[in-house]
Amino acid sequence: MLQSKKRWNVQECDEQLVNEFVENLNITPLVASLLLNRGMTTVEAAREFLHVDAQTFHDPFLLHDMDKAVARIQQAIDHNEKIMIYGDYDADGVSSTSVMLSALQQLGADVDFYIPNRFTEGYGPNKAAFDKISAGRYQLVITVDTGISAVEETAYVRELNFDLIITDHHEPGPVLPDAYAIIHPKLPGSTYPFKELAGVGVAFKLAHALLGELPEHLLELAVIGTIADLVPLVDENRLIARKGLDYLKLTKRTGIEALLSVCGVKREEINEDTIGFAMAPRINAVGRLQDADPAVHLLMTTNAEEAKGLAKEIDALNKERQQIVNDITEEAVEFVESMYPPDENSVLIVEGEGWNAGVVGIVASRLVEKFYRPTIVLSIDSENRIAKGSARSIEGFDLFANLSKCLDILPHFGGHPMAAGMTLNSDDVEELRRRLNEQASNVLTEQDFIPITSVDTVCTTEEITLENIEQMSALAPFGMHNPKPKVLIKDVHTTSMRKIGANKNHLKLVFEDSGVSVDAVGFGLGYILDEVSPIAKVSLVGELSINEWNNMRKPQLMVEDISVDEWQMFDYRSAVDVKRFFRQVFTDQMKVVAFHASTIDKYKSLLPMEHVVLIQDEEQAKACMFAGEQIVLLDLPPSRKWLECLFVQGIPSRIYAIFLTEEDHYFDTIPTRDHFKWFYGFLAKKGPFDLKRYKEDLAIHKGWSKETIDFMAKVFFELEFVTINNGLISLVKNSAKRDLIESATYRQKQQQIEIEKNFIYTSYVQLKNQFQDIFKRSIE
């Protein structure tokens, strides 16, 4: 067997609806099942999802207070009032700020922006910032991607000389800020058709209302925050993402061109991954390490040289951020493994003096990926005795609910079930660790600590076609609530498998079923090569794609996980494999079974002695519990019966066959009955015979080996046909007639020859079949 890294949660589809979609939408069954799994339960809903370009944006004036906000902004423009855009320091906040700046500049407004410093001011509006804005004689402040929780700060605005309009998308609290206007899709009583806009989506709606027509030229900005903020890519977000990516490919924004250049991305290759893995991390890096202003300047500049310089600066900050994350992650992993090992802790809380608070959320995500435990990473300020950090969770553990039970030691905290941020007294960290571990032990099981992969559908090799994969692209762009489709291919044979890459840490394979072969690649899965036996049927989970090379287009599977459901046989019967096996293949999950103490003594220097089990009789073999285990058969038992006894408790998951032997019985000449008859007659004629003196002469005369003579002498002795005294062998007169098989030595020799024939001198397939038969007999 080979256990998958994650639990595979395979979605099920209503076959009747699949057929209905296929018939009405002219799509393949595979694509129909994908649409159903994304919540498209009617043909019309599926058609709208597939033909997103034909959809229109909702009327922005359906948002509460939109008319009031537009009137106030227009008044500010008409009276040349100074307007301040108050944003946030992440990619959503930066793109929101840029959208509002662009729209207001287009209308001729006197506008500037302000983004708080993550380290000195923290998240959201603050009184000191409002004081600076007031001192600058700004008469209108518009927040983007922030402000809905700033109740106290908004009340403070009443004492200052400006109006405040809040645009945000974060969860509203029970008390709303008393602002001039609030534009938010989730306000209580809101009739806006779509609630899940990103901060930049809300800013885009305000720009739409202000400009009087859809500002399509701003979609290239709106798509950045929409994808980066991981909002559900459905409804209006899907429209923003789809159209925004198209505009991004045609961008004339100098700053975006410069950013794409440092990312090494060509226009024609732009997709959602370009934002998620290239653009957004660089934009986010600025606000994680310093003021986020350069990121806004980059998106807004029209000067090519300035853009080039800013892009290089931001790229360098991202590299610095990556190194900081790597360093802190390394320290955090060591902290966990040495202080709070995962097998003893259901929740991991890791703290470090002076860790950069701007990256601890990334580190928490990395630790969840490595250990799959709810994780909190805290930066400790020992001078002020403050711990500030971020948390990430796993399925089954609601972070928000469980942290809410600790409010007495969490003066500042917020978040949702899967992520949270917090500040607490550093003296309370240990108490928080104790409480959360206790709470987790009440709700999490061992199963919960195995990561989950959501699989869209089971796919056959015949369905892996260029047509199917091309149709799947109609579901893009992919993201939250519309993930890249994952398929499961069950129980297929691999026709080739090898390690690739400079460090041989990737896997290249070809699998086949029903006469159809498919190429597959698994990045980081090179180690799997040693864990899949030659004829095993494998199941694969991954994403389908098209490999284009040398003007050839072929379907391929990008493998994420592999499993083997059947027990596996691994053949290491060649003597040259012994050292390599114990130095490169052996793991602590294996148990080494030996049937001869002499084998253990001979190879003691190679063997992991704490994992070695010596079996010396059938009863010992029957007592062994090897069901589901990985076992290494170091040598051969005296008979096949011992192997049958070994597995009465259950079948192992893997058998590694080494079968070292002291002597080779199979190629020995076993004496025939004619040999025994001649030797008996020789002893009857010659009388007592001195084996010590004349055995070699007799062997030469007959063309036998000396071992053959010793063997026959021992058999005769056990059958009481002869006596042997100090090498002198003599016949016993009038001995009872007995069959050779009554001799234990003769039987053992036959058994050894038989077991060597069946377990050493056989093909791989024959050897596996031998064990299949043994398992069957063991169960019976």
Side-chain angles (χ1 to χ4, degrees):
M1 296 183 75
L2 172 63
Q3 186 66 47
S4 58
K5 294 183 298 181
K6 298 182 178 182
R7 287 178 284 158
W8 297 348
N9 180 22
V10 184
Q11 307 293 314
E12 295 184 359
C13 287
D14 184 324
E15 286 302 317
Q16 185 176 339
L17 281 175
V18 169
N19 294 333
E20 189 179 336
F21 278 24
V22 170
E23 184 178 340
N24 287 278
L25 298 171
N26 193 29
I27 56 177
T28 64
L30 178 60
V31 175
S33 65
L34 296 176
L35 286 165
L36 284 165
N37 289 339
R38 279 151 178 72
M40 311 300 138
T41 55
T42 66
V43 169
E44 190 53 43
R47 182 178 285 111
E48 286 183 10
F49 190 85
L50 288 172
H51 302 289
V52 61
D53 294 329
Q55 295 178 37
T56 57
F57 285 91
H58 302 308
D59 182 353
F61 286 96
L62 293 175
L63 283 160
H64 179 74
D65 274 357
M66 181 63 82
D67 52 352
K68 188 177 180 182
V70 168
R72 178 64 186 90
I73 294 169
Q74 191 59 56
Q75 176 188 326
I77 295 171
D78 292 342
H79 292 82
N80 203 31
E81 297 178 38
K82 294 178 70 176
I83 303 174
M84 178 66 77
I85 309 301
Y86 193 107
D88 188 26
Y89 38 66
D90 65 2
D92 190 14
V94 166
S95 56
S96 300
T97 302
S98 301
V99 163
M100 282 313 307
L101 281 172
S102 299
L104 291 175
Q105 286 175 356
Q106 185 176 335
L107 292 168
D110 182 0
V111 62
D112 202 350
F113 74 95
Y114 184 95
I115 295 179
N117 183 287
R118 178 193 294 264
F119 305 99
T120 59
E121 298 176 79
Y123 171 77
N126 64 84
K127 294 178 181 179
F130 282 165
D131 283 337
K132 293 178 188 175
I133 291 169
S134 178
R137 299 185 180 279
Y138 289 89
Q139 290 132 307
L140 177 63
V141 174
I142 306 169
T143 74
V144 289
D145 189 35
T146 188
I148 196 63
S149 61
V151 176
E152 185 178 335
E153 292 80 5
T154 302
Y156 182 67
V157 168
R158 296 292 181 188
E159 303 174 22
L160 304 174
N161 192 29
F162 62 82
D163 289 327
L164 178 65
I165 295 173
I166 292 174
T167 77
D168 201 355
H169 73 122
H170 295 97
E171 291 294 327
V175 179
L176 297 177
D178 185 17
Y180 182 90
I182 299 177
I183 301 174
H184 194 303
K186 291 184 180 179
L187 286 181
S190 172
T191 58
Y192 193 71
F194 184 58
K195 311 295 185 186
E196 303 297 333
L197 289 168
V200 72
V202 181
F204 182 79
K205 302 306 296 186
L206 178 55
H208 184 180
L210 283 168
L211 295 170
E213 60 183 10
L214 185 72
E216 295 203 3
H217 61 293
L218 298 181
L219 283 166
E220 61 185 327
L221 294 173
V223 68
I224 295 172
T226 298
I227 290 177
D229 212 52
L230 302 180
V231 291
L233 289 190
V234 296
D235 201 279
E236 212 163 22
N237 286 340
R238 178 168 166 77
L239 192 54
I240 290 171
R242 184 68 166 261
K243 288 181 175 290
L245 287 170
D246 290 340
Y247 277 95
L248 205 55
K249 292 177 182 178
L250 304 171
T251 187
K252 289 185 170 53
R253 281 188 176 261
T254 310
I256 290 180
E257 289 179 319
L259 183 58
L260 290 170
S261 177
V262 297
C263 293
V265 175
K266 297 176 182 177
R267 285 175 181 262
E268 63 272 18
E269 296 172 350
I270 290 174
N271 59 22
E272 61 271 24
D273 288 342
T274 305
I275 295 172
F277 298 104
M279 297 176 72
R282 286 170 170 81
I283 293 171
N284 281 326
V286 186
R288 292 186 187 279
L289 301 185
Q290 60 170 46
D291 287 327
D293 292 17
V296 177
H297 291 312
L298 174 66
L299 295 182
M300 295 300 297
T301 185
T302 57
N303 184 292
E305 284 304 310
E306 181 186 20
K308 188 176 179 181
L310 285 168
K312 286 184 176 179
E313 177 189 343
I314 287 172
D315 190 51
L317 284 170
N318 187 52
K319 288 184 172 67
E320 181 183 347
R321 188 271 307 166
Q322 289 172 327
Q323 187 58 53
I324 291 171
V325 168
N326 290 340
D327 291 345
I328 295 176
T329 301
E330 189 175 322
E331 288 181 47
V333 168
E334 184 180 344
F335 182 93
V336 168
E337 293 177 338
S338 61
M339 299 288 292
Y340 299 97
D343 56 351
E344 298 174 13
N345 290 267
S346 300
V347 177
L348 304 179
I349 299 183
V350 186
E351 68 264 25
E353 180 75 32
W355 283 352
N356 186 307
V359 303
V360 291
I362 302 174
V363 176
S365 295
R366 293 238 187 129
L367 295 185
V368 170
E369 186 177 333
K370 181 174 179 62
F371 298 116
Y372 205 67
R373 297 286 189 278
T375 301
I376 299 174
V377 180
L378 298 166
S379 174
I380 303 296
D381 177 354
S382 57
E383 185 177 337
N384 296 306
R385 296 170 62 194
I386 293 295
K388 184 177 182 180
S390 291
R392 300 292 183 270
S393 196
I394 64 175
E395 292 291 333
F397 190 76
D398 186 324
L399 261 182
F400 187 84
N402 281 281
L403 287 170
S404 296
K405 298 176 183 177
C406 305
L407 288 178
D408 57 312
I409 57 173
L410 288 175
H412 302 287
F413 118 87
H416 53 79
M418 297 301 289
M422 70 207 65
T423 301
L424 67 155
N425 190 303
S426 58
D427 296 337
D428 291 328
V429 171
E430 189 57 43
E431 175 62 12
L432 181 65
R433 180 181 286 117
R434 186 194 67 76
R435 291 190 195 181
L436 289 181
N437 268 287
E438 183 178 324
Q439 290 165 209
S441 66
N442 293 328
V443 295
L444 296 176
T445 66
E446 284 301 314
Q447 189 79 354
D448 290 318
F449 295 125
I450 303 173
I452 300 175
T453 289
S454 184
V455 179
D456 287 275
T457 188
V458 177
C459 181
T460 64
T461 52
E462 294 100 317
E463 290 179 295
I464 304 176
T465 64
L466 292 174
E467 180 191 8
N468 259 327
I469 298 171
E470 285 166 347
Q471 278 199 17
M472 284 167 54
S473 66
L475 276 64
F478 299 110
M480 292 292 289
H481 290 207
N482 182 34
K484 287 186 178 180
K486 285 186 175 62
V487 299
L488 166 62
I489 294 94
K490 294 186 69 174
D491 298 332
V492 291
H493 286 291
T494 59
T495 57
S496 73
M497 189 181 295
R498 59 191 173 90
K499 295 180 182 181
I500 59 172
N503 299 317
K504 301 298 181 185
N505 57 337
H506 308 306
L507 189 68
K508 171 77 175 178
L509 65 144
V510 178
F511 61 89
E512 182 181 58
D513 192 41
S514 303
V516 179
S517 295
V518 180
D519 293 345
V521 176
F523 290 108
L525 297 180
Y527 68 92
I528 292 289
L529 183 66
D530 295 321
E531 299 196 35
V532 176
S533 56
I535 61 172
K537 287 186 175 182
V538 300
S539 294
L540 309 157
V541 165
E543 297 175 2
L544 295 173
S545 64
I546 296 175
N547 182 23
E548 300 190 29
W549 185 77
N550 260 5
N551 296 320
M552 294 281 291
R553 302 174 80 238
K554 290 176 62 179
Q556 71 176 358
L557 179 74
M558 305 307 294
V559 183
E560 294 184 10
D561 209 353
I562 299 179
S563 76
V564 177
D565 292 334
E566 60 189 0
W567 77 274
Q568 294 192 85
M569 166 68 67
F570 294 87
D571 191 353
Y572 288 89
R573 289 177 291 178
S574 169
V576 297
D577 283 338
V578 179
K579 284 185 179 179
R580 186 180 79 84
F581 177 82
F582 283 107
R583 289 176 180 171
Q584 298 178 22
V585 180
F586 182 85
T587 69
D588 287 343
Q589 283 74 49
M590 299 178 190
K591 293 180 180 177
V592 181
V593 176
F595 300 97
H596 304 280
S598 57
T599 311
I600 297 174
D601 290 339
K602 185 174 180 180
Y603 293 94
K604 198 168 187 176
S605 61
L606 284 177
L607 298 177
M609 294 305 296
E610 66 275 18
H611 295 276
V612 174
V613 179
L614 176 61
I615 307 294
Q616 295 184 299
D617 57 49
E618 291 183 11
E619 290 306 311
Q620 267 189 297
K622 287 180 181 178
C624 290
M625 298 286 290
F626 290 139
E629 299 279 356
Q630 300 179 30
I631 66 167
V632 181
L633 294 177
L634 190 64
D635 55 16
L636 278 171
S639 74
R640 177 190 173 99
K641 181 66 177 175
W642 286 41
L643 289 174
E644 291 176 6
C645 293
L646 196 63
F647 303 117
V648 295
Q649 305 277 4
I651 297 173
S653 63
R654 300 183 194 177
I655 291 178
Y656 294 85
I658 296 180
F659 295 148
L660 300 168
T661 55
E662 289 286 324
E663 52 185 309
D664 201 330
H665 296 270
Y666 182 64
F667 289 108
D668 283 351
T669 302
I670 184 168
T672 65
R673 291 184 180 274
D674 286 340
H675 287 101
F676 281 101
K677 185 177 179 180
W678 185 93
F679 189 41
Y680 189 90
F682 172 79
L683 293 174
K685 184 187 296 186
K686 294 293 183 180
F689 181 75
D690 192 337
L691 289 172
K692 286 184 178 180
R693 291 181 63 185
Y694 301 116
K695 176 170 57 178
E696 186 172 354
D697 293 338
L698 179 61
I700 292 170
H701 172 70
K702 292 298 293 181
W704 296 343
S705 68
K706 290 183 288 184
E707 289 76 18
T708 298
I709 296 171
D710 286 338
F711 174 73
M712 289 191 294
K714 188 174 182 182
V715 170
F716 281 168
F717 179 78
E718 289 179 357
L719 295 174
E720 298 179 342
F721 291 169
V722 301
T723 60
I724 300 174
N725 185 18
N726 198 25
L728 197 66
I729 183 169
S730 306
L731 283 178
V732 174
K733 292 182 180 180
N734 302 318
S735 59
K737 192 172 183 179
R738 300 175 67 183
D739 195 276
L740 293 173
I741 200 69
E742 296 182 56
S743 162
T745 297
Y746 188 84
R747 289 197 309 274
Q748 186 176 349
K749 184 75 169 180
Q750 281 194 320
Q751 289 170 352
Q752 285 296 136
I753 290 172
E754 186 67 17
I755 201 169
E756 286 180 14
K757 173 186 173 183
N758 291 328
F759 290 88
I760 295 181
Y761 302 107
T762 54
S763 68
Y764 173 88
V765 173
Q766 290 170 328
L767 179 63
K768 186 165 186 184
N769 287 338
Q770 285 288 335
F771 276 99
Q772 291 280 46
D773 187 57
I774 284 173
F775 295 155
K776 183 179 178 181
R777 291 175 182 272
S778 298
I779 294 170
E780 292 173 352

